Amino acid sequence: CAHEAQRYSLCLEILNDIPSPFAQARMPAELRRMKVHCQIELGLLPAAVSEAERLAREDPSIHNLVALTQTYLSIGDFRRLCLTARDILRMDQVPSPVLLRLAGQSRWEDKTLSVSLWRKALRIGLSDEYVVGALQLGFELGLDSELDDLTRRMAALAQSAQAGVRMASLDELVAYARGFQRQAQQLNIDRKSV
């Protein structure tokens, strides 16, 4: 598929030129979302926004609303992203990773919404791979008093070396920080010599 091969121009051309069985009806939502993604990747942002808004209006499914939020993100329209995220918050069956992503994307524009999205994601439940991100976002939102369970889960993950979390001694952290600092200095030297 041209889309999977990241040949967005070809994919968009194919989607636009389909003399298809969809001529009398609307193109399926999945293909329309693919078209929006291609338009975003090609920098055709006004067309992408129009198509994503039209699709969400005609079929306000979770997939179409999430696609709309990502379209708004691509143009930096956090106000409309938050309005759509608020609609998603009211829906049932929204996966917790979607709620967490929206919580992170809305935190600067609408902290109250971000906190609500974060809390709903935690109520639904998180798989281990999202614990660290949820904990970090919780700290960024100032929800320190609500982080005990996530902190315990992260500690358990660290003890079993799961989900990219591992225990480290203070000496290991210092060595890591020094290595990072050396690498940053080298990059700075390399940049100046260019």
Side-chain angles (χ1 to χ4, degrees), residues 84-182:
T84 306
R86 196 167 292 287
D87 292 337
I88 292 170
L89 179 62
R90 289 188 211 99
M91 299 175 87
D92 295 325
Q93 308 297 320
V94 181
S96 56
V98 169
L99 295 167
L100 274 181
R101 185 174 70 234
L102 291 172
Q105 293 169 346
S106 64
R107 71 181 178 266
W108 303 114
E109 180 73 22
D110 188 338
K111 184 178 177 183
T112 302
L113 171 63
S114 181
V115 168
S116 296
L117 290 160
W118 183 88
R119 286 179 175 151
K120 184 173 181 179
L122 265 61
R123 273 194 311 276
I124 291 170
L126 299 172
S127 62
D128 290 345
E129 66 187 289
Y130 297 103
V131 169
V132 174
L135 183 64
Q136 180 179 352
L137 183 56
F139 277 120
E140 289 175 18
L141 292 170
L143 302 172
D144 302 33
S145 64
E146 300 178 41
L147 300 177
D148 290 345
D149 289 339
L150 286 174
T151 303
R152 279 192 286 280
R153 277 187 70 188
M154 190 173 82
L157 291 170
Q159 287 179 343
S160 62
Q162 292 181 1
V165 181
R166 71 175 191 90
M167 300 286 275
S169 69
L170 183 55
D171 290 338
E172 290 173 310
L173 289 174
V174 168
Y176 175 78
R178 286 185 179 145
F180 182 79
Q181 185 178 26
R182 276 192 301 277

Side-chain angles (χ1 to χ4, degrees), residues 3 13 21 39 54 61 76-77 82 85 125 160 172 175 194:
H3 185 262
E13 185 178 324
Q39 290 169 324
R54 190 171 29 260
S61 71
D77 190 337
C82 288
S160 62
E172 290 173 310
V194 173

